Amino acid sequence: QQVEMDMKSRLGPENTEDKAGLKQQNYETRLPLITKKNSAPMCSQKKVEVSNLWGLSASQCMDSSLPLLEEDVMKSILSPTQPRLIPPAAKRTLQTPPVVSSAAAFQELHRQPRKLAVDTITLPNSKEAIYGTCSSRKGNVAPLPSSSSVLPARKSKPVWTSPAQQLASELQVPSQIQGPYFDGSIAVHHGTIDQKAAGFLAFKHRYCSSWRSIASFLEHTEKLLKAYAVPLATINCKKLVEVASDSKLSENPTKRDILSVMKNQSAVEKLFNQPGQRYKGQGGPEIAATKIQATWRCYRAREACLRFRQQQWASGVIATSWLLHYHMARVKKTLKDSRQRHLENFYSRAKHLAANWNRIRTSRRTIIHIPSLGYSQCVREHIPDLALQQNLQMGRLCDILDANVDVIYICPLHLSEELLQYYNKLLGLQAAVRSGNPEDMGDLQDRFKILTPEAINSFPKHHMCLATQLKYSPKTIQRIQMLIQSRDAYIVGGVPHKDDLAVADMLNVPILGSGPEVAHLYSTKSGSKRIFASACVPTPPGGSDIYSSEQMIGVLSQLIITNMEVQRWLFKVNDESGGNGTAYCDILSHLKCYSWLQEEQQRYSPESWSEKWAHEPALVKISQELPGLLAQHVQPVNEKRFPTWETFLQTFLTQGGVIEAFPLSDSITNLTVDMLIEPTGRIQVVSCGEQLHAEGPLRCSGTAVPQRAVDPTVLHSLCFRIGESCKSKGVLGYFSVDFVAFIHPQTMEQQVWATDLDLCYSDQLAWTQLMLYLTDGKLDCHLSPLEVSLGSKEMESQGVQQEEIRTPSPPSSRCAVASSQLRHSSLAGIYYHVLLQRCKAHGVGFDLQEKQGTVFLLYEEEKQCRLGMITIGEDLQGVLLTFARNLFIIHQEISAPNMQGETNFKMALEGIKAILGVTAENTLSLGEEQPLKADALEE
């Protein structure tokens, strides 16, 4: 309504009603007041040239003074779509026309309420002719068709027309651009739209209301097509209107938006994607030059960035490495200082212990037993069931046999209440053993404590020794401190470790043992050879401290030449124990040049053969043959850990080892002697026994105490020489020495070789403590008997009737067989108390009056596959038979006929047979039972 009234007022300025309506609506449309219709004379005015009237701006009209007639001014030539073309303040004078004007017939424009009359104008050629708008509010003139499209004037009747009428005739839209001739598409040739095309003019006229957004879109389209030198593109006008109406004027259309309005989109897009096409269009060389410069600068910048990032990364790595190195160095220095402080405190407390030992060992004291296996990490990783192996010395609890001693036992496993009650009853037998009356059993729970560190489950895969676990268990440390408060105490450990010193420093108590460095040095196979050499005790022929393959071949070749009677040679790894790091080879049986070697020896006299120059040809020949011989015929003892010679050789050369000769007899006896070097320097032998070899001649699975294979005087002499040598090296506390005894086939005399040295508390010593606790006896290792007192016997005197005379019985000797290596998989299927009841039903138990029988040691309940057993009797043969009978009963009670389980009981029987000298055809008498053949357990 506003536009309509505005148009009426402009077409009829003399109509006062329209003006009044505009004033009431406050449209503030100002029109010139014309009182006359007299025409003014024509005057020369400056013409404004435009190529299209639709692009004529208001400013151009304001600056020009066109000659207008008075009636044209009154009627106004303002277009309804372009208001305020002539400002109201403009003064226009029109010349008197030379020809009388008359009405001309015009075709009615589409959607035009009035016909416009404009004087003849020359239009400039500018872009505003194409991208003008039709908005009446913005003050812009809508584009008009060019003068060539205006209907020509009639020539038959030349009638003069006014300039306004001529302009109106020029604004008339030609009929060929309407309706049926518009196909809805615009062709763009080489990035230019033909603004004179009829289709374009019709499209522009139809969408004049939204032409501003369409024109902006078309402008960007032309730029893009010119930039890529597109020869032909067809625009879908319908799609163009939709996209242009959806886009914002402030945002430029994207390439995807422009492509979306193309009818030949695929062809245009293919041209867009063609490499180098952008540089063929408008401004292509400049853009190419810019691209080249930008690419080169980008390359330089990227190279600089990469170089900077590499330098930054390198500096970060260097900084991080330095920080780690500095932190590691600081931690190492802290640990080194801490270790040094622990070591200094260890020696300081050892001196205090030595100065007060005579008082401490006879006064009230507490012994803290830590059965830790402080081997190196690589050795601990290959020990199966490390926690169980550290708990095989439960016999340490029997130190409470001394009334002045209280025991704190650090257990590496959680013991159930049932096991704790079992050990409480076992240790309560002390009073009953002395009196011989079972009713005298006491409760000694206040005399011993079994503590388990809380850190045993915190490091399940670290293979830590017990001392390390105790170090990281502050609650257990605090409880031990409360138990030893204001009391003399000292630690008895296992295999020494640096963390033993840390625990001793935390508890502020001394250690009855050697320092870790000393113990590690002389507990190795090579270190023990040095101890034996300084003690001047006989040892097997061999070589030590071997760390290379060439050295091993050279040493072994020389040993073969100088000891041609030795059939088997042993290879022992330095840090291993229990036969796990041992391998053997019967070299003479497989040495091809042995016959030649014997002939070579016979060529020389004994004096000449002892010279090294005589051995050179033999050394060369043997050295060439040994590598292949060893690879084929060496047999490791622990085949699970060392399945091949190569794996054993790698460990042997890494840790170092020794080569020694096997005894020259098939019948040998292995002995273990436990000794103690007190802080005052006193040396004493505390235990001695013979080894049981159930799983081969090189692995110990039990012990028989006391030993009876070697003259005690000879053995005592050897042990004290070794003890003196150890004391000179700084060894302190408990240690054990292994010997091998055999009859030499040539001299027929017994020879005793020292073979191994362990600077730790042994399993045999723990069994000996339990044996002494159960029998209340005394072990004299100088004479090798175990004497026990059976108490007094009641007898009737011949001279006095009904009078009882109590006479003390003479001392009786005892011996024991013990093993902590009994394994049976079926033990996990039965409760311990059920097993003990069944054994009791078969007569397996301990007689307190006779001080003989069988006692079991129970280690754990989680896997429950290991059992310890000790059998005490009057003679060794009877004890061995009882031990074998007990194994048979246990096997029968826990095994089903069709499920025998995995066990080493048969191997134990074979070891017993070897001691007794029983052949496979003989039988083992089991008392009242039927005779048991040697292979009965296997059946």
Side-chain angles (χ1 to χ4, degrees):
Q1 183 181 0
Q2 175 187 355
V3 175
E4 182 179 359
M5 294 182 64
D6 193 7
M7 181 179 59
K8 289 181 179 181
S9 62
R10 298 187 183 192
L11 293 176
E14 70 280 1
N15 191 344
T16 58
E17 294 181 359
D18 293 338
K19 291 183 179 181
L22 289 175
K23 290 181 180 180
Q24 292 178 2
Q25 297 296 332
N26 294 326
Y27 291 137
E28 298 183 2
T29 302
R30 299 180 181 180
L31 298 174
L33 180 61
I34 301 174
T35 57
K36 297 181 181 180
K37 291 187 179 181
N38 298 329
S39 59
M42 296 292 293
C43 61
S44 61
Q45 298 292 340
K46 183 188 300 183
K47 294 194 298 181
V48 180
E49 297 181 358
V50 293
S51 62
N52 197 328
L53 187 59
W54 291 7
L56 190 62
S57 63
S59 60
Q60 293 171 338
C61 297
M62 292 175 62
D63 295 338
S64 61
S65 57
L66 297 176
L68 299 176
L69 296 178
E70 184 176 357
E71 61 182 18
D72 293 333
V73 175
M74 296 298 296
K75 293 182 179 180
S76 178
I77 62 171
L78 296 176
S79 173
T81 60
Q82 185 71 22
R84 296 184 181 88
L85 185 61
I86 300 176
K91 295 181 179 181
R92 305 295 182 183
T93 58
L94 299 176
Q95 298 178 359
T96 302
V99 184
V100 178
S101 61
S102 64
F106 297 98
Q107 293 184 2
E108 189 174 354
L109 289 174
H110 183 64
R111 295 183 181 178
Q112 296 293 336
R114 290 279 195 266
K115 304 294 188 299
L116 300 179
V118 185
D119 200 0
T120 303
I121 301 175
T122 304
L123 299 178
N125 185 12
S126 65
K127 290 185 180 180
E128 294 183 1
I130 302 175
Y131 306 113
T133 61
C134 298
S135 176
S136 60
R137 297 186 179 183
K138 298 297 180 178
N140 297 332
V141 180
L144 294 177
S146 61
S147 58
S148 63
S149 63
V150 179
L151 293 174
R154 296 180 179 179
K155 298 181 180 180
S156 59
K157 295 180 180 180
V159 180
W160 181 89
T161 57
S162 65
Q165 292 174 347
Q166 293 178 6
L167 180 59
S169 63
E170 292 177 357
L171 289 175
Q172 185 176 359
V173 180
S175 60
Q176 61 266 24
I177 68 173
Q178 296 183 6
Y181 297 96
F182 179 55
D183 60 354
S185 62
I186 299 176
V188 184
H189 296 276
H190 298 285
T192 304
I193 300 175
D194 186 8
Q195 75 272 15
K196 298 180 180 181
F200 177 79
L201 295 176
F203 170 69
K204 181 177 180 181
H205 185 74
R206 178 175 298 180
Y207 298 101
C208 61
S209 60
S210 57
W211 186 250
R212 185 177 181 183
S213 60
I214 296 174
S216 176
F217 194 92
L218 289 176
E219 183 179 0
H220 287 90
T221 302
E222 282 188 333
K223 291 181 179 179
L224 182 63
L225 296 177
K226 288 180 180 179
Y228 283 88
V230 179
L232 178 62
T234 306
I235 300 176
N236 189 337
C237 296
K238 184 177 180 181
K239 188 67 176 178
L240 171 63
V241 174
E242 294 177 0
V243 174
S245 60
D246 293 339
S247 62
K248 298 181 180 179
L249 294 176
S250 58
E251 297 180 359
N252 295 331
T254 62
K255 185 186 294 185
R256 184 178 298 275
D257 296 336
I258 294 175
L259 287 173
S260 64
V261 302
M262 299 290 179
K263 284 188 175 182
N264 56 340
Q265 179 180 354
S266 58
V268 175
E269 186 175 6
K270 183 177 180 181
L271 199 61
F272 281 175
N273 298 331
Q274 185 175 349
Q277 185 65 28
R278 175 63 186 89
Y279 311 117
K280 297 179 181 179
Q282 187 177 9
E286 292 80 4
I287 296 176
T290 304
K291 181 65 176 179
I292 293 172
Q293 292 179 356
T295 304
W296 171 248
R297 291 172 183 173
C298 178
Y299 170 76
R300 293 290 301 274
R302 178 170 178 79
E303 287 293 322
C305 179
L306 291 177
R307 186 167 54 254
F308 171 76
R309 289 176 61 183
Q310 186 177 8
Q311 294 174 353
Q312 189 179 27
W313 171 81
S315 63
V317 171
I318 294 173
T320 304
S321 301
W322 167 250
L323 290 176
L324 291 177
H325 171 75
Y326 177 76
H327 181 68
M328 186 67 68
R330 186 177 61 180
V331 171
K332 286 183 178 180
K333 185 177 183 302
T334 303
L335 290 176
K336 185 178 180 181
D337 296 341
S338 177
R339 299 291 190 192
Q340 185 64 29
R341 184 175 65 254
H342 294 163
L343 188 61
E344 293 175 356
N345 294 337
F346 164 75
Y347 286 117
S348 175
R349 285 188 288 265
K351 291 181 181 179
H352 181 269
L353 181 65
N356 298 274
W357 177 250
N358 293 328
R359 175 188 62 82
I360 292 175
R361 69 186 183 91
T362 57
S363 61
R364 189 75 175 173
R365 63 192 183 276
T366 299
I367 302 177
I368 305 172
H369 282 282
I370 307 176
S372 174
L373 297 180
Y375 297 112
S376 60
Q377 180 71 21
C378 60
V379 176
R380 294 199 307 268
E381 289 177 352
H382 294 92
I383 297 179
D385 298 326
L386 177 62
L388 180 60
Q389 291 291 335
Q390 295 178 124
N391 199 37
L392 299 181
Q393 299 179 359
M394 297 293 292
R396 293 180 182 228
L397 293 169
C398 297
D399 280 346
I400 61 173
L401 180 62
D402 188 346
N404 292 325
V405 174
D406 292 342
V407 172
I408 298 176
Y409 179 81
I410 307 301
C411 182
L413 296 169
H414 285 292
L415 299 184
S416 63
E417 190 65 27
E418 180 183 1
L419 292 183
L420 294 177
Q421 290 297 328
Y422 175 79
Y423 284 108
N424 184 32
K425 292 181 180 181
L426 178 63
L427 297 176
L429 293 175
Q430 182 181 15
V433 167
R434 291 176 177 175
S435 65
N437 186 5
E439 297 180 356
D440 293 339
M441 290 180 58
D443 187 2
L444 301 180
Q445 292 188 21
D446 58 337
R447 296 280 309 280
F448 72 94
K449 299 293 181 183
I450 300 177
L451 304 180
T452 301
E454 64 269 19
I456 61 173
N457 295 326
S458 300
F459 309 98
K461 297 182 180 180
H462 289 71
H463 304 282
M464 289 183 175
C465 64
L466 183 59
T468 305
Q469 292 175 341
L470 180 60
K471 174 185 175 181
Y472 296 115
S473 302
K475 294 182 180 179
T476 306
I477 294 291
Q478 186 177 6
R479 187 175 179 188
I480 295 174
Q481 290 174 344
M482 295 176 61
L483 292 174
I484 65 175
Q485 191 173 6
S486 66
R487 180 179 295 187
D488 292 329
Y490 58 88
I491 293 176
V492 177
V495 178
H497 190 269
K498 294 180 180 179
D499 287 332
D500 288 291
L501 306 184
V503 171
D505 205 56
M506 297 167 70
L507 297 175
N508 194 23
V509 295
I511 298 177
L512 183 60
S514 306
E517 298 296 336
V518 174
H520 179 72
L521 177 62
Y522 295 110
S523 288
T524 62
K525 302 298 185 291
S526 299
S528 63
K529 298 298 181 183
R530 290 191 287 270
I531 292 288
F532 297 152
S534 64
C536 297
V537 296
T539 58
S544 59
D545 293 311
I546 298 173
Y547 291 94
S548 67
S549 179
E550 294 79 8
Q551 182 185 7
M552 181 190 68
I553 296 298
V555 170
L556 183 57
S557 300
Q558 186 65 47
L559 289 174
I560 292 173
I561 294 174
T562 56
N563 301 275
M564 293 183 61
E565 70 279 2
V566 177
Q567 175 73 21
R568 176 176 293 181
W569 293 92
L570 305 179
F571 304 86
K572 296 182 178 181
V573 180
N574 271 337
D575 295 334
E576 299 292 338
S577 62
N580 291 320
T582 304
Y584 62 91
C585 181
D586 296 330
I587 293 180
L588 294 186
S589 301
H590 306 285
L591 190 64
K592 297 179 181 179
C593 64
Y594 181 65
S595 299
W596 174 85
L597 184 62
Q598 288 179 327
E599 295 176 358
E600 190 74 10
Q601 182 183 12
Q602 293 175 359
R603 289 176 52 195
Y604 299 93
S605 63
E607 294 79 7
S608 300
W609 183 250
S610 61
E611 299 293 335
K612 291 185 178 181
W613 59 267
H615 300 163
E616 292 181 359
L619 286 174
V620 173
K621 201 160 189 177
I622 295 175
S623 299
Q624 293 176 353
E625 188 176 347
L626 275 181
L629 186 149
L630 296 176
Q632 293 181 1
H633 302 289
V634 170
Q635 183 66 36
V637 174
N638 188 350
E639 294 183 356
K640 291 183 179 179
R641 181 176 177 187
F642 304 110
T644 61
W645 163 249
E646 287 74 16
T647 56
F648 179 86
L649 181 62
Q650 183 180 2
T651 305
F652 182 85
L653 299 179
T654 301
Q655 300 183 15
V658 300
I659 300 175
E660 65 181 33
F662 192 78
L664 306 177
S665 175
D666 295 335
S667 177
I668 63 174
T669 302
N670 295 91
L671 300 90
T672 299
V673 178
D674 291 287
M675 303 180 67
L676 171 64
I677 301 178
E678 296 181 353
T680 56
R682 179 190 173 194
I683 302 173
Q684 59 176 325
V685 179
V686 294
S687 175
C688 58
E690 300 177 15
Q691 296 180 7
L692 301 180
H693 294 273
E695 302 180 15
L698 300 174
R699 301 192 71 172
C700 177
S701 57
T703 183
V705 180
Q707 70 83 24
R708 298 182 181 183
V710 182
D711 184 5
T713 305
V714 175
L715 189 62
H716 184 270
S717 174
L718 296 175
C719 290
F720 268 83
R721 277 190 283 174
I722 295 173
E724 290 292 339
S725 178
C726 289
K727 185 173 70 173
S728 65
K729 303 296 184 181
V731 177
L732 183 67
Y734 295 96
F735 65 95
S736 61
V737 185
D738 291 344
F739 296 93
V740 58
F742 64 98
I743 302 299
H744 198 282
Q746 297 178 356
T747 62
M748 299 305 294
E749 294 180 358
Q750 187 185 55
Q751 289 192 359
V752 180
W753 289 346
T755 57
D756 202 0
L757 175 67
D758 292 321
L759 302 183
C760 62
Y761 199 103
S762 68
D763 294 349
Q764 176 181 279
L765 181 56
W767 283 115
T768 303
Q769 294 292 96
L770 178 60
M771 180 185 64
L772 295 176
Y773 190 87
L774 294 174
T775 60
D776 194 25
K778 295 181 180 179
L779 178 63
D780 188 356
C781 295
H782 295 279
L783 301 176
S784 294
L786 173 61
E787 295 181 351
V788 298
S789 176
L790 300 179
S792 61
K793 293 185 178 180
E794 296 181 357
M795 302 175 59
E796 282 190 2
S797 174
Q798 297 179 356
V800 182
Q801 296 181 355
Q802 304 296 331
E803 183 179 356
E804 296 180 354
I805 302 176
R806 303 175 64 87
T807 60
S809 62
S812 176
S813 63
R814 292 288 184 269
C815 63
V817 174
S819 176
S820 58
Q821 305 294 332
L822 301 177
R823 298 188 302 273
H824 204 299
S825 59
S826 299
L827 284 171
I830 188 172
Y831 290 104
Y832 280 135
H833 67 275
V834 177
L835 175 63
L836 296 176
Q837 289 176 0
R838 292 183 180 181
C839 291
K840 184 178 180 181
H842 286 278
V844 179
F846 190 78
D847 189 344
L848 296 177
Q849 293 182 351
E850 297 295 331
K851 297 181 180 180
Q852 60 183 358
T854 300
V855 174
F856 298 101
L857 286 187
L858 311 178
Y859 300 124
E860 51 90 24
E861 284 187 322
E862 183 178 355
K863 295 182 179 179
Q864 197 172 324
C865 61
R866 186 74 69 88
L867 186 68
M869 184 174 65
I870 181 172
T871 301
I872 304 173
E874 295 181 357
D875 60 278
L876 181 61
Q877 184 176 1
V879 170
L880 290 171
L881 291 175
T882 304
F883 195 91
R885 176 179 178 272
N886 295 339
L887 292 179
F888 178 74
I889 292 173
I890 295 173
H891 178 75
Q892 293 295 330
E893 289 295 328
I894 66 178
S895 300
N898 57 346
M899 296 181 61
Q900 296 297 309
E902 297 180 2
T903 180
N904 64 347
F905 284 7
K906 180 184 176 181
M907 297 180 183
L909 286 179
E910 295 294 335
I912 293 173
K913 285 183 359 180
I915 295 178
L916 293 174
V918 180
T919 61
E921 290 79 11
N922 296 120
T923 60
L924 298 175
S925 177
L926 297 181
E928 299 177 357
E929 307 240 351
Q930 294 293 331
L932 176 66
K933 293 184 179 181
D935 57 348
L937 185 59
E938 181 181 2
E939 298 175 357

